[in-house]
Amino acid sequence: MNQAKLEATILHAGVESAEFLGEGAWHDAWKVSMGNRELVLRIPKETVYGKRVFFNEEELKAEYAGTELYYRSVNQAVPGAAPEVFQFHVSEKLSYTLESFVGQQIDLHEMTETAAYQTGKTLGEIYRKTEQIPHGLDGFGYLYWSEQSGLRGSITGDVQRFLQQESEEHLSDYRVLSEAKPEFRDDTVSDALKLAAEIRRQRFTKPLLSNQDASPENILMNGTQICLIDPFPSIYYPRGMAGNFMNLYETLFIALSDTERYRKHEFAMCADNLKGVANGFLDGYSAGDKQIAAQVRGEQLLQLQETAFSHFHLLSEDLPEQARIRYGNKQQIESRLTLLAGELKALAASEIGHLADSLIHLSADSLQVPTTAACFNEL
């Protein structure tokens, strides 16, 4: 970080006593003070994944306004589960965020199995309760900002049709993958993916605010309070984001532990605790509802299949530096595909019965004739 830029940012933000906390993929962070308040100052990095980053006002304001919305929604749902203070400034010369300091990163290597499960359960509850807070934005998908419309979802149109097309792409991608890679050919996987796609078609009602970035780096402990920071919010099918969480913690973080991006975390050394967090998350998110748990597992299956397909796609082209940092070289990617094939088969085999039962339950619910009382309540 350019020292002159740091000093100018500190002066502009009106803070002092900067103590370097570390760097993420996109920002450097400092612990600072403003009066008697401890805050975190984040400044965008000039180089990310080996590439120069150029100023983009719309992208930064979409990211920072989205973070502000997500923090506010989380705190409405679970007070104290996100920083209460969040401010940002965006200009070509000076951009930064300033937010409450809310503790230290969780340490998956030092956690007990019970603590890992409870951490996941709390996270699941936070996700579930946050989804219930109206986001008030137009559109859906990743967030976008413009001078004319402010913050909104980047996609307009028929969200039901969009999700259906996405599901068709998932199934098409699996067909391509299984034709090219025999280790992925499996009738149970094929049937389970079709069930998951049909469940999302029947279950989806409207897109809700959720968080795609569930990295342990962004989960802090403030005393006994779990706090989420640095989210990647989107307006999407909420079960999809829950499935993304499960895929990350049960499979992907562990599989990527040998890459430059994730090597320092040594996720393979704490695989049991990552899976314990996932188990707790599913229980906290579903709150004992087996249908919700099955829907999340279905989305996890779709996410895992797309993880494998994206790895396969990387093998067919020159590997960009960003992809190499995140996923490793082509030999690592090829080896990981074998692992992902086994994970996909195992997940499909363990969940296909639950997916089938869930679909039967959804179909039965849709065929139920409303009672007189129910009809009266709808008038």
Side-chain angles (χ1 to χ4, degrees):
M1 167 60 64
N2 182 298
Q3 186 64 28
K5 186 175 183 179
L6 173 61
E7 292 174 359
T9 303
I10 289 172
L11 181 64
H12 189 276
V15 297
E16 56 188 5
S17 303
E19 173 190 342
F20 186 63
L21 291 175
E23 62 175 309
W26 294 87
H27 291 77
D28 289 319
W30 288 263
K31 185 178 180 182
V32 297
S33 60
M34 181 184 290
N36 60 358
R37 291 190 300 178
E38 292 185 322
L39 303 169
V40 175
L41 175 70
R42 284 191 175 85
I43 302 176
K45 297 170 72 171
E46 297 178 354
T47 302
V48 174
Y49 293 122
K51 291 182 64 176
R52 174 79 183 275
V53 178
F54 296 96
F55 175 74
N56 186 311
E57 180 183 15
E58 292 184 346
E59 287 185 0
L60 285 175
K61 286 189 174 179
E63 177 183 351
Y64 297 160
T67 297
E68 183 177 41
L69 171 65
Y70 189 74
Y71 283 174
R72 184 169 65 247
S73 300
V74 168
N75 280 323
Q76 282 183 253
V78 183
E84 294 184 2
V85 173
F86 184 80
Q87 304 167 9
F88 64 89
H89 175 80
V90 173
S91 71
E92 190 163 4
K93 290 185 177 180
L94 209 62
S95 296
Y96 63 88
T97 68
L98 199 61
E99 65 183 53
S100 307
F101 177 79
V102 289
Q104 304 294 329
Q105 292 178 10
I106 60 172
D107 188 342
L108 288 164
H109 295 273
E110 296 297 326
M111 276 187 179
T112 64
E113 292 182 10
T114 299
Y117 172 85
Q118 189 57 52
T119 296
K121 186 175 182 182
T122 300
L123 291 167
E125 292 168 352
I126 293 170
Y127 268 60
R128 170 170 49 83
K129 292 175 182 179
T130 301
E131 289 171 6
Q132 298 167 11
I133 305 299
H135 54 74
L137 300 183
D138 294 329
F140 59 96
Y142 295 125
L143 300 183
Y144 171 78
W145 182 93
S146 70
E147 193 71 48
Q148 295 75 27
S149 61
L151 189 67
R152 56 167 295 132
S154 58
I155 305 172
T156 58
D158 186 343
V159 64
Q160 295 274 4
R161 180 58 185 154
F162 174 86
L163 202 69
Q164 181 63 27
Q165 290 174 339
E166 185 182 71
S167 296
E168 291 168 2
E169 288 176 7
H170 285 316
L171 299 179
S172 175
D173 289 347
Y174 174 69
R175 288 192 294 271
V176 171
L177 183 61
S178 59
E179 288 171 6
K181 295 287 184 180
E183 62 266 35
F184 282 92
R185 294 176 196 163
D186 187 90
D187 289 342
T188 300
V189 171
S190 179
D191 291 344
L193 289 169
K194 291 173 184 175
L195 287 169
E198 179 60 21
I199 287 170
R200 64 166 17 197
R201 185 188 71 80
Q202 293 195 30
R203 175 61 183 81
F204 175 74
T205 54
K206 63 180 179 180
L208 302 175
L209 180 67
S210 192
N211 176 23
Q212 185 172 323
D213 192 340
S215 170
E217 298 169 296
N218 299 331
I219 302 169
L220 307 185
M221 286 296 296
N222 187 9
T224 59
Q225 172 78 63
I226 294 284
C227 292
L228 299 177
I229 63 164
D230 202 14
F232 187 12
S234 64
I235 304 169
Y236 185 67
Y237 177 41
R239 302 289 187 264
M241 289 297 98
N244 173 67
F245 186 103
M246 297 296 294
N247 182 45
L248 290 173
Y249 277 77
E250 285 200 341
T251 302
L252 193 54
F253 285 147
I254 301 166
L256 295 177
S257 62
D258 62 342
T259 64
E260 184 176 330
R261 167 69 177 87
Y262 293 103
R263 188 177 298 125
K264 66 181 181 180
H265 300 296
E266 299 183 319
F267 284 140
M269 302 295 292
C270 56
D272 289 344
N273 276 348
L274 282 163
K275 293 178 180 181
V277 170
N279 289 334
F281 177 90
L282 187 60
D283 287 350
Y285 183 84
S286 64
D289 189 321
K290 293 182 179 180
Q291 301 306 314
I292 292 177
Q295 292 157 22
V296 172
R297 286 294 193 183
E299 291 297 314
Q300 178 185 359
L301 188 72
L302 292 169
Q303 292 276 349
L304 178 53
Q305 181 268 318
E306 280 303 307
T307 296
F309 183 77
S310 66
H311 275 65
F312 167 71
H313 186 69
L314 286 171
L315 293 175
S316 64
E317 58 185 22
D318 291 336
L319 200 63
E321 181 65 5
Q322 178 175 342
R324 186 199 65 76
I325 292 171
R326 297 179 68 184
Y327 298 106
N329 59 39
K330 287 196 173 185
Q331 183 178 357
Q332 289 174 293
I333 293 170
E334 184 75 59
S335 297
R336 200 174 299 121
L337 267 174
T338 303
L339 168 69
L340 294 174
E343 292 285 325
L344 190 63
K345 290 175 183 177
L347 182 61
S350 67
E351 295 301 326
I352 190 168
H354 298 133
L355 294 173
D357 289 345
S358 179
L359 188 57
I360 291 170
H361 187 274
L362 286 170
S363 299
D365 284 350
S366 67
L367 293 174
Q368 285 182 355
V369 178
T371 63
T372 303
C375 293
F376 179 80
N377 288 336
E378 291 175 0
L379 296 177

